[in-house]
Amino acid sequence: MIHVERIVCNMLQENCWVVSDASNECVIIDCGVFYPEERQALVTYIRSHGLTPRHLLCTHGHVDHNFGIDTVNAEWGLLPEVHEGDADFMATLSEQAVQFIGQPLSGTMPAVGKWLGDGDEVTFGTHTLHVIHTPGHSRGSVCFHIADENLLLSGDTLFQRSIGRTDLHGGSMMQIIQSLRLLAQLPDETLILPGHGPSTTMGDELRTNPFLDR
C-alpha cells in the first residue's frame, strides 16, 4: 500500500508529489516548491513522517516542475532524473524562469543525475514505477506508472478534462495525441495524479475528456 502527499506550489499551482510506502522510503516527483514556506513544508513532511527519499523524479524539464530540486539536493543529496529529450530544458532552468516569472533563479541547480528512458523501472521500498515516454507537451515528457497500485503520475501530459499545452518549444499536438492513446490503454480504475489541478481516473477521462479515446 502506498501513500501519496500533494503539495500545491509556486505561482503556477504545480503539484509536487511525495509517494511513499510501508518501508518509509519515498520518491519526490516534480519538485516545484518555490517559496520558502513551500520548501519548508516539503522538508517538514518528509522528516516528520520518518521518510527516506530515494529518487528525485521529473516528468519533464519545465521550470515550474523543478524550482525545488536544489532544496532536495541540499537536504538529501539526490539528483534529478529526467528523460534525455528534455536535456535542453534542464540546462536552461534559470533562463526559463526569466520567461515564466520574469526573474532568474537565485541559486545553482544540481546537474541531472540520470537520464530516463521509455520502459525504465524506478524502485523504492517495495514498489516499482514504470517510465512511459509521452512526448507532446515536451520532447522528454514522461509519466510514471505504478501498475500494482493502478496509479499514474501524468505530469503535464494529461489533466482532468484537458491536456498539456503543445505550443511551447518541443511541443507537438500530433505526438501528445499519440501519447494519450497509449495512456488510454490503462485500466479505467487507474488513478491519475497530474502536474496541475485535481486528480481523476482514466475511466472519467475517457467519458469526459475530448482529447482521449480508446
Side-chain angles (χ1 to χ4, degrees), residues 145 150-151 183-192 200-207 212-214:
H145 184 222
N150 281 321
L151 182 69
L183 295 179
Q185 304 312 306
L186 296 174
D188 284 5
E189 60 269 26
T190 301
L191 178 63
I192 298 166
T200 183
T201 67
M202 186 60 67
D204 285 344
E205 293 313 297
L206 285 165
R207 287 188 293 272
L212 212 62
D213 60 52
R214 180 175 284 162

Side-chain angles (χ1 to χ4, degrees), residues 4-212:
V4 178
E5 182 74 11
R6 179 176 70 160
I7 300 175
V8 181
C9 51
N10 71 55
M11 62 292 297
L12 296 178
Q13 296 291 283
E14 185 265 342
N15 293 330
C16 170
W17 301 99
V18 180
V19 182
S20 59
D21 67 14
S23 72
N24 286 336
E25 293 189 354
C26 70
V27 294
I28 302 167
I29 300 175
D30 283 354
C31 189
V33 292
F34 179 78
Y35 300 108
E37 60 269 25
E38 296 170 351
R39 294 172 185 265
Q40 188 58 53
L42 174 67
V43 173
T44 298
Y45 171 77
I46 290 173
R47 294 204 183 283
S48 66
H49 286 78
L51 302 180
T52 300
R54 292 301 185 195
H55 297 275
L56 171 57
L57 303 174
C58 314
T59 62
H60 62 295
H62 288 161
V63 70
D64 59 315
H65 291 250
N66 291 282
F67 281 128
I69 61 176
D70 55 339
T71 290
V72 175
N73 178 252
E75 292 287 338
W76 297 287
L78 297 179
L79 297 173
E81 302 175 34
V82 61
H83 192 279
E84 192 168 13
D86 276 7
D88 54 345
F89 286 132
M90 297 303 292
T92 57
L93 290 172
S94 191
E95 291 87 341
Q96 286 187 64
V98 173
Q99 177 185 358
F100 278 98
I101 65 173
Q103 65 185 61
L105 300 177
S106 58
T108 300
M109 291 304 210
V112 173
K114 181 179 180 181
W115 298 113
L116 300 174
D118 185 55
D120 283 358
E121 296 183 348
V122 179
T123 60
F124 73 100
T126 60
H127 286 83
T128 299
L129 296 94
H130 299 271
V131 179
I132 305 174
H133 186 209
T134 54
H137 179 63
S138 69
R139 287 191 294 264
S141 287
V142 300
C143 296
F144 297 107
H145 184 222
I146 306 179
D148 56 354
E149 299 283 352
N150 281 321
L151 182 69
L152 181 76
L153 293 115
S154 63
D156 284 4
T157 297
L158 177 60
F159 302 134
Q160 184 188 56
R161 299 184 182 180
S162 188
I163 62 173
R165 59 189 295 184
T166 59
D167 59 331
L168 299 174
H169 173 69
S172 166
M173 178 59 77
M174 181 180 72
Q175 285 188 326
I176 203 169
I177 292 300
Q178 292 173 336
S179 295
L180 292 167
R181 287 175 177 164
L182 176 65
L183 295 179
Q185 304 312 306
L186 296 174
D188 284 5
E189 60 269 26
T190 301
L191 178 63
I192 298 166
L193 305 179
H196 300 269
S199 59
T200 183
T201 67
M202 186 60 67
D204 285 344
E205 293 313 297
L206 285 165
R207 287 188 293 272
T208 63
N209 194 322
F211 297 96
L212 212 62

